Structures are given as structure tokens and as C-alpha cells.
Amino acid sequence: MKSVFILADKAWAGSSLLYKWQKSLGNYIAVAGQDNSVKIFDRHGHKWSELSLPGRCVGMDWDKDGDILAVIAAKSSSIYLWDASVNKTSQIESGMRDQMSFVLWSKTGPLLAVGTIKGNLLIYNQQTSRKIPVLGKHTKKITCGCWSVQNLLALGSDDNTLSISNHEGDTIRQTTLRGEPADITFSERKTNERSGQGENTVSLSVENKNLMLFNINDLENRIELTFQRHYGQIVSYRWYGDGYILIGFSHGYFVVISTHIKEIGEELHQARNHKDSLNSVAISTAVNKAASCGDNSIKIHELSELKDISNVITLDDETKGLDQLTWTDDGQLLAVSTQSGTLHVFLTKLPMLGGSFGTRLAYLTSLLEVTVSNQVEGESPVVIQVEVEPTFIAMGPFHVAVGMNNRAWFYALVDGEPGFNKLKDIEYLGTIASMSLNSDYAAALFEGKVQLHMIEGKDQDEKKQMKLFPEDERKGWIICHALTADFLYYGTDAGDVVCVLVEDWETVSSYSHAIGVRKVFPDLNGTRLVFIDDKNAGFLLSPTNATDSCFELPNFSPTITGVLWDNWHADRGVFVAYDDDKVYTYALHKSTIYGPRVVFVGSTALLFSQKPLLLHNGDLTCQTASGKTSEVALSTHSFLKRAGGTQKGPQPELGTQLAQALMLKRFHEACALCKSAGSNTDWAEVGKACLVHMEVELAIQVFRMSSNVGMVLSLQGIQGIEDMNLRAGHLAMFLGEYNLAQDLYLSSGCPIAALEMRRDLLQWDSALMLAKRLAEDQIPFISKEYAVHLEFIGDYVNALAHYEKGMIQDNGFQEHNDACKAGVARMSIRMGDIRRGAAQAIQHPSRILKKECGAILESMKQFSEAAQLYEKGQYYDKAASVYIRCKNWAKVGELLPHVSSPKIHLQYAKAKEADGKYKDAAQAYESAKDWDNVIRVLLEHLNSPEEAVRIVRETQSIDGAKMVARFFLGLNDYSSAIHFLVLSQCNDEAFQLAQQHGQMEVYADIIGPEATQEDYQSIALYFEGEKKHLLAGKFFQKCAQYTRSVSSADVSQALKHFLKCPNTDDNLAVEMAIETVGQARDSSMTNQLIDYLMGESDGMPKDAKYLFRLYMALELYREAARTAIIIAREEQCAGNYRNAHDVLFSMYTELQAQKIKIPAEMATNLMILHSYLLVKVHVKRGDHLKGARMLIRVSNNISRFPAHVVPILTSAVIECHRAGLKNSAFGFAALLMRPEYRNKIDPKYRKKIEAMVRRPDTSELEDETTPCPFCGFQLPQNELLCISCKNNVPYCISTGRHMLKEDWCVCPHCEFPALYSQFILLLETEAVCPMCSETLSVEQIKKIPDCSQYLQTDELDQ
């Protein structure tokens, strides 16, 4: 809202003003203050006239057309009339004696009503000068009134009455009120009946507290509306819309109520608009706004949404408050008077005047102000103050023109301040309807003519620089025109669209339309033009291009008022058409495979009261009613925001944006959309659009992105084609538009392409027609291909005809002719001419043809001919099959060596068997791999059981096995019969046979792992009955294993039978009993077996090894270990040292595997036994020192070798003596001299030993010291207990010495340690590990650099 002017007069100061806007036009405002005058101002605030009165003005009103202002004054009985058209005042004598108080013009006629303070009324007819005085209309002062559109007059008076009179002054109705009336208004109140009653209601406020609504036909039928007390008094009210009333209250409240019968008196909106007081409300339906004033502010609301305050104006200087508020009829100007005697006028709505050229705009920003801006190129706006309020604005590249009536003012735009120069003003020969500018010329349209003239030409040359169009007036009346850089366009009522070249003022082209042309809109270059005709249809015309016809615009709304072309350099083919509510986007597709066309892209909604001025890259600049511009982003260009990453608010889905981008030919943006979120379908859409628009290079890129290799290769193949029709034809074909493609091919320089396409599409009729026109030499080839197609669909008659047509009398086309002959052969047979067809097929070199013809004959039941053809074609299987069908066995026999099909062999075999030729039958059955029949023939007819048995064993045939079993049963060979019954899965029969003939063990062996639990149970029960305890126990155990149910009765049964076994089966039975108990893990069974092993049940203890095995089976490793030690001790006592060693070793490794600590006793026993075994190894190798050291270790524990004390000590003496350990030899010799050993010494050595004792030599070779692997303390190398760290040191299995960290290796089998250097030496002569006796080679031994994992101190159970 912009302040237009402020009126202040010394004479008015401090008092409230009376003022009235001129009706309809609103060009004048009449203002009266405390002085005896009425001043009249124009709409720009310039004083126009003044009326001097004998007293203060008490009332004034404009007539319905705004031509005459009627004024009444105090101290005068005259009525003053001011005529606006001639600026003259006249005076009429009222003839009334008393003071006038009220004046009002009729809404429809030239009637003026004047009331007086005594209640009298005068009705004056301006047209006839007739006066009708009505005395005593009321008894007191007439204060308010209103005319209705039916020319009824309602008056209110201080006598608390309301009267309704006709235009003659006769009272029609009258009613009394409960207080003084004010603000009388006629209006139409809505009822439930939809009747056009017109103004049926009179409303008024009573005592400024209540609102009364009367029916004019029945004043007693009244509605009284009361309001909340805190609202204050009713200041003023206004009717609007469909029976709504807006009421302003003195305490600042602003309330809307409805008068609809269902919601009468209901508050639809209530707000406290002003804090302290509200003075006035006003409504303008023209701008759809409501206003209230109070305190020192004015608030403007939109009637459509009263909650929204669209504007607030604060008048800071007006401290006394505001007074009355009034709008002009057109809603452009709003006047507000103040308590201090000033009048403010604001601009609420401007005429929508504006124009654009390129990216530059000119538009009205105030009544006398035009702004020129170029936001696209960032130029600062230029404001031009104009001399008159314009009715049109024209924009050129360097000029602006404004004007009204027949005058136009021209301004040049310059760089310096203020940015413009006024050039001149020109008067034309008629009222200007519209004007257009370019850089040099102006074109003005008036009274059916266009005047074209230079803008800045010199005055004397102007006649030369001006021309009127049309030159011949008979050519029609010009209705519209437009000017571009080079051309002037105009449209006439006769339907001509004429293009004039401005340079030489000659008509370049003319297009005749069927009906009158209303508007023309050329693009910036003038090469294309949109025009709207009298039927409101839109068309696109290219006046410069004769080949382009005129296109009607699709979806063209009849309400469209204008068209704007997009100024963006890349969107020259895009334009929008607009009406009051929407903008419709169109795009011209100039180069498509379909030819030029215009497409409708979509529409965008416009806000209320917006006029589009400029379109640039999807952004529409609109002029608003407030004299500003606003940007509207077209919804059809939403993809630009997305591609640029600036989207705000909800966006249409990707598919919609993609479709818009493609319709606007924005392929790069479409690709960007697909890259961001597109699927393969989206890429395909972009590719298809590129093909339609013949953008081959871009299409290749797009199809590459979507991995469509075939399309990329196809497009690369046509990339170099310059013939546009040929290229378009290829693209139409790729898109499946085959008829279009044919038309394009035929109009190109290579029409044969149409024929090739029809052939590729298998559209043979079209291809033949084209071939007759374009390439007759191709007819035979097309005929052949057509014949193949007809044969495929079963049209054999036409196929034969086309095959015959396809023959070429030229030996150069042998392959083609062969194919045609083959077709003739096939079709002849199909048509029933079998002899001709078969003869041709036999003559033809192709094997496949013989097969095809044979198949056709076979389907026609012509077997002998079919077989003959198959045989000729070397299809022996098929031939034999067909010969069989016609029972020609002789021929089948001839072909049999060539036949591979088992089915044919089988058929032949059956035939031979029926003939009694069993050997041939057996051979044929074997060729057919029908083994059951081979076995049957061998057994029944050829008496060859060996061959039958061989085949059964090879093929595992069940039925064959049954036959063989029956054969052996006939020979009483039960064992073989059982075998073959089991093979044929007849286990029950086999079992019964075994039972009957005592062959159960055979049956049990044969059935083996294939048996079921029931089978095992049956066998076990059988053996139980036969008292064969071992076998019964064995099968009960298998039965338990089968069920995996360790607590089952079968286990118990098995154990019972094993323990019942006689001594002959003892060992095996005990072993199996141990295995059974180990699986069962049942304590009672375990105790039962232990009792048996200890001899509790029969008084005969069993060997301890069984107890050891039992503990191992039960995984009781500690008990097993103890048992192992006992067993080893027994073996040792018995002198079986290797056995004892092996028992201890196996137990040692088992405990290690189970990660159980090894008992120290076991480890020590194993070490001593191993030392004993090493003696033989060293002595054998001649290493007497190592042997002697081991013997010393054994002799020191001689009590563990009771069976061989003397031999061991004797060996120790001899070996120590040999090794130079004289003192040790003496010690052991002295021990041998004890009485219990002396007599047992071998006589060979006795004397030598006695001599040693008699002459002792105590010299001794010291044992070398090496470091302890745990602590590094120097120990004798044969010492195994470190006296420093108290650890048992691991010993070397090859030497018996303690281990060294730096010389460590292990046996790969038993993982016992050895000194690497010594082990290698040992393995040069020995091939086994001295500990585990596994075979070993030097290559398998690896030195271990880090032996820390073997130095665990907690392995032995102390």
C-alpha cells in the first residue's frame, strides 16, 4: 500500500471531515471541513474546484454516474449541484422552510432525496427538474436513509421510526423502533428458497447497540441481533458476499456474521483488530478486500481469508486517532480522514499495465510512476515519473512509451542518472488501442490501422519516416499487431496475418486464416508467431518458412488472454499462454521424425490478480496489483530445481519431472535426473525421446548408460548419414513406427531401405509390392522367404506357388534354388502329390530334406515311402522304426547294425523271441539294455546260468536276481539262492530259506551293512535259539548300534550272550563284551563285566589286559593308566620288556591326547624301559660309552628287572669296562659277588669279574656337562633331574641324555623329543623311531628353533 497524497487545510484543523469519492470513475474526491466550502480534488491530490457556501456543509452525494455532486449547507434552503464534466456549479431552490439535514442520489435514476430537521422530504428529478415535496414524512430530523435498486427509499429519523417510500414519496410501510436508527442499508438476505427476490431486507443499527434486519414486505417480521457488551458500540457495518455482514465495534473488535437462515447471527470470524478503538470499516468487492481503521493504524484483510491481514498502515503523526474510511468503486484508492482534520489517500490496486522486450520489463508502480527493470541481467531499476495516468505501456530495447487516449510519451533509457530522457510526445489520429516498440520504430494501433514511425527521427523527416497500414482499407480492419527487431506483424478481422519487413516497409508474407485474428505474439526474432482467432483457438505460424504449415495449439483454453515466449537462449521454442488463473506451457518440436509439432507440456496455477510479463528459463515474472513483480516457478520446469539441487517443498515424482524435461527438449537435465535416481526404464524414456528428436549422438550416450548394446551399435551404424529423411526413417524403425519409417525411406535418397525393413519385419506382401516398384531382381528372394513364412503358418498352397516363383534360371544361385526345390518337394507331399515330392527329395543332395519329407510322409501314414526316404538320408533309427510299423522285419534286420535306439532293438528282440530265435533275441535284448529279458532268455531258453549270474552281478538288476534265485532254488543251491534273494531285496524269503536250511550265517554275511534293525534282531533271536552265544551277542550288539539306543535291552542281551561263551571263543567274546559295555556306558553292565574279568562269577580271573581295554573303552584314562602300570610291571617281571614298553608308551600318548597329567611312576618306568631298549641299539652300533651310560641307569634300578638281574649287571660290568668307566664296572662287579648272584654268573665272565673285584681300578671317565633347558645350569648330560630348578628334564629318545634347547627336534609320529644331531646319526643306521617304532627317514626330521612349547613343567602327575 502506497500513500498517494495527503490533504490538510488550515480551515479544517482540529475537526473531522466530510468527504465523498466520485462514483464509478473515482477521479474526484469532494472534501468539506468546518469552513463554509467544499473543495474538489483529482485522484492525484490536485485541487480541481471549490464551492463556497453560505454555511457549513452538512451533506453531499454524487449521482450514480459520478457526473453531478449535490451539496446542502447550514443556513441555506438551496441545493448546490456541481457538474464534473464542465466544472460548473448550479443552485436549486428547495422550497423548504426548515434546515436541510440529509441528501442522497438514487442508485438507478436521476432522483435526489433531501430530508430536513423537521422530518420533511423533497424528491427532485434531475432530468425533468420536477420537485415532489412530502411534508410530515417524519416528526423529527431525518438522519439516515438508503435507496434500493427498485427505487424504494428507506429513511430513519430521530422520532425512532423507519419509513419505506416509493420514488413518488408515498409511504409504503412504516414501523417504530426502540431507539434512534443509524446506517440504513438495503440488501438481499439468503433464504432456503432460491428465488430472485432482489433487495428484500433493510438493515439498521439501533442506538449503536443492536442490529435489526427487516423484511421490506413485512416490517413487523424483524430479526434483532445483539452482541457481547465488551465489544462496545456498533461503529459501522457492511454487507458483502453471499449474505455476510462485517461489523466494526468501538472497542476495536472486527466481527463477521452470516444472515443465512440456518446460521443467523453466528459469528464466523472475530478478531480484536485495534487495541483501544475502532472508528470505521470498509469493503471493496473490486479488490476483494476489507479494511478497518482505529487507534492510528489501518488494517487490510483478504475477504477470501479474513484471518490473513495482508497489510497494516500506521500513521504515526495522527495522535488524535482516525475517523472515516472509504474506497473508490474500482478499489484502487482508499481514503481515510483523521480526527485532526487531514485526509490520507492510499493506492490499494494499480491498473495492471506493463510490457516487456527481451529480458527488460516496464510496469506501473504508482499512478504516475513507471519502473523499468532487468532482473535477469542484473541491471538496477529505473523509475520514470510520467505526466498522466497511462492506459498503456510499451517497452522496447532502448525506449519506453506510455500514453492515454490519442497521445503517447516516449522516453529513452540512458546510462547516467536518472536513467532516462524524455524524448517527445506524439498525438495520433485516434485513441491508441495498443503500441509496440523495437530499437528504432514505434507501431501504434488505432481505429483499425497501424501507424509505423521512427522513434528518434528528426521532425522534418517524420513524414518520410511514417507509414500507415493497411495501405488498402478494403483489406480489412487491423485488430492486433506486434513489432519485433525486423518485422511488423498484424492480424485483421478478415483473418489475414501479415508480416512486414520494417527495413523497407514491404509486405514479406501473408497468411489467410478462416476467421478473424484477435491477437498476435511473435517470438524475439520474429521467425515464429502464435495467434489467437475469434473463436479463442490458438495457432503457431512460421511466416518465414513456407514448408511449415500452421499448427493448432493442443489443449488451448478459450479463456487465454496472452502468450509469452521464453527468452532463455536455449529455449527458443518454448512459450506460455496465460489466463487469469493458469499458465499453460507449450513447446515447439521443430525437428522430429514426425515433422514439426507443438506439444502441451503442462499448466501452473497463478495467484489472484497476477499478470505475466516475462518468461526466462522456466521463471515467470508477473506484475501484481500492488505495483510490484513476483517470480512464479513454472511447475513444468520443476526438474531444473531438482537438477540444480535447490528444490524446496513437495516435488512431483521423478517420472513427471523426466517427462517434462523431455517435452521441453532439455536432454542434459533429463540425463542428470536419471543419473541421480533413474531406473533403466527412465533411461529408456530419455533414449526414446532422443530418437524422436533425431539427437543421435546424445541417444548413443544415453543407451550406453542403460547398457543397451544393441541400440548403441544400431545408432553408431547410422551416425554418418546426412540424408535427414533416411536418418529419420531409421530412427522411426528403431521406435517401431514402421509405416512412418516407410514413408520417410521412400522420400529419402535411398528408398530401397523401405524394402529391406519390410523384409526384416517378415511383412512379405508389403515387401513384394515395394520390390515391384524398387527392385524387381529381389522378387525371387522375397518369394522364397515369403514361402518359408507361409509354410510355417500352414498355408501350403500359397507356399508352393511362392517356392516355384522363387526359382532363378541362373547357376550362380545354386543354394537359393536348392532351398526352393526343397520347399517344392515338401509342399508337393503336403498337397498330396507324393510321387513328385518323394522323387524330388531323393534327387536333392540334402539329408535334412529327406528327414523332413520322411517325417511328413510318416504323419500322413505313408510308412514305406517314409522309411525309404529315412534310409536314403541315413537316418537308420527312424527308418528301422518306420519299417517296424509296417512289419518289414527283414529290412529291420538289415538296418540293425546301424541302429542305436534301444527301443528298436527291443521291438526286434520281441519279434525274434516270438519266432523262437532265442540267441538273436538275447543279443537284441542286450543291445536294448533290457537286462531282465536277457536274463530270462538265458535261464529259460538258453540254459546259461553263468552268463545270467554275470549280468546280474554287473547290472544289479532286482528282477533278474529274483529269476536267478528261483533258478538256484530249483537246483537246491541254497547259499546262491539266498545270495540272489538278498540282491533282489527279498530279505524275508531269504531269511526263511536260511532258517529252513541252516544257512543263517551265510544270510548274515550276505545281508551285511544293508540290514535293518528287524533283520539283526531276527538273526540274533535265531542264534539265541541255536545256543550260538557269540553270534547271538554279535547281532544283538549290531541291533543296539542300529538304534543308537545305548540303554536298550539289546545291549544287555548282547553282554549276556558274550559272557556265556565257552572258553574256546573266550578272547573274541571278551573283546566284544568290552566293546559293547564301552558303547553302553551303563554302570550295572560295567560292574557285571568287571566282576567277570576279576573272576568273581566263575573263580577264574582274566588277563589284566582286558581290564585295561575296558577302562580305555570307557574313557577312564586314570584307571587305565594305573592298570597299564600294573600290566607293564607284570610284563617286566616276566622279562617281556618290549611289551611293557609298548603298553606304557600307548597309555602315555593316550593320556597326552586327552590332556590328562601323566603319572610320574608311568613316566619313570617308561624312561627306564626305554633306556634298557637303547642299550642294544648303541652296542649294535659300537657306541659302547652311550651303551654303558644307559646300562648304569638300568642297573641303578635293577629291582625293576627281577627276571634278568645277573645278565643285566654282567653286561653293565663288561660295557663300563670297555667304555673306560672302571669305577662303575668295579661297583657292579662287587654287586655280582653277592652270594645270591655269584653262582648265576655266566662261567665265561666269572673269573674276569672276580679279578676286577680283587684288583680294583677306580679310575672313571667324567660325564660331560651340558646346560639345563629350563634354567641353563650345567648338568651331566645323562642326568635327568636338575638340582638347580628341580625340574624333570626331557630326555632324548635316541641317546637317553637330557635335551638341549639349541639341538631340539621331535619324532613326527609320537612327538617325543630327541637331540637333532644325535637323531640324524642314529637314523643313518636305523630306519625306525626307537620310541614308537614307526618308520622314519632323515628328511622327516626338522630342527625346532623355539622349543618353549615342549618345556611345560606340569605334564607329569607328581
Side-chain angles (χ1 to χ4, degrees), residues 211 225 227 243-245 247 255-259 265-268:
L211 195 62
L225 301 173
F227 299 95
Y244 299 109
I245 304 176
I247 311 166
V255 176
V256 176
I257 62 166
S258 169
T259 62
E266 192 179 313
E267 289 187 9
L268 303 180

Side-chain angles (χ1 to χ4, degrees), residues 206 515 672 1098 1221 1294 1332:
V206 179
I515 55 173
D1098 58 359
L1221 305 173
S1294 62
C1332 63

Side-chain angles (χ1 to χ4, degrees), residues 302-320:
E302 296 292 337
L303 276 182
S304 53
E305 194 54 70
L306 282 164
K307 291 175 188 161
D308 297 345
I309 296 177
S310 63
N311 230 313
V312 177
I313 304 163
T314 306
L315 303 173
D316 294 329
D317 299 339
E318 301 297 343
T319 52
K320 288 189 179 178

Side-chain angles (χ1 to χ4, degrees), residues 100 262 369 419 597 628 862 911 958 981 991 1201 1278 1302:
M100 287 178 283
K262 286 182 181 172
E369 181 182 282
R597 61 181 186 174
K628 293 179 181 165
Q862 303 293 321
I958 291 171
L981 279 171
F991 180 76
F1201 300 88
N1278 286 292
E1302 61 279 355

Side-chain angles (χ1 to χ4, degrees), residues 162-204:
L162 164 70
S163 67
I164 297 178
S165 315
N166 64 15
H167 65 283
E168 294 285 336
D170 304 331
T171 301
I172 298 171
R173 286 181 184 75
Q174 191 161 0
T175 186
T176 57
L177 306 167
R178 280 190 285 177
E180 291 180 7
D183 237 352
I184 294 180
T185 311
F186 275 101
S187 69
E188 183 180 355
R189 187 162 72 82
K190 299 293 176 191
T191 57
N192 286 342
E193 301 91 46
R194 283 275 164 207
S195 57
Q197 297 174 340
E199 293 183 337
N200 57 6
T201 304
V202 176
S203 61
L204 51 87

Side-chain angles (χ1 to χ4, degrees), residues 1329-1348:
C1329 167
M1331 178 63 80
C1332 63
S1333 305
E1334 292 288 339
T1335 309
L1336 208 56
S1337 68
V1338 175
E1339 289 73 30
Q1340 287 172 273
I1341 305 301
K1342 299 281 180 285
K1343 194 169 184 177
I1344 296 170
D1346 178 15
C1347 59
S1348 53

Side-chain angles (χ1 to χ4, degrees), residues 77 130 135 213 241 396 455 528 802 807 946 1150 1170 1220 1233 1257 1340 1348:
S77 59
R130 180 185 171 204
L135 299 175
L213 308 179
I455 300 173
R528 288 185 283 268
H802 280 290
M807 302 288 247
E946 300 85 356
E1150 188 62 46
H1170 189 65
M1233 288 298 109
D1257 182 353
Q1340 287 172 273
S1348 53

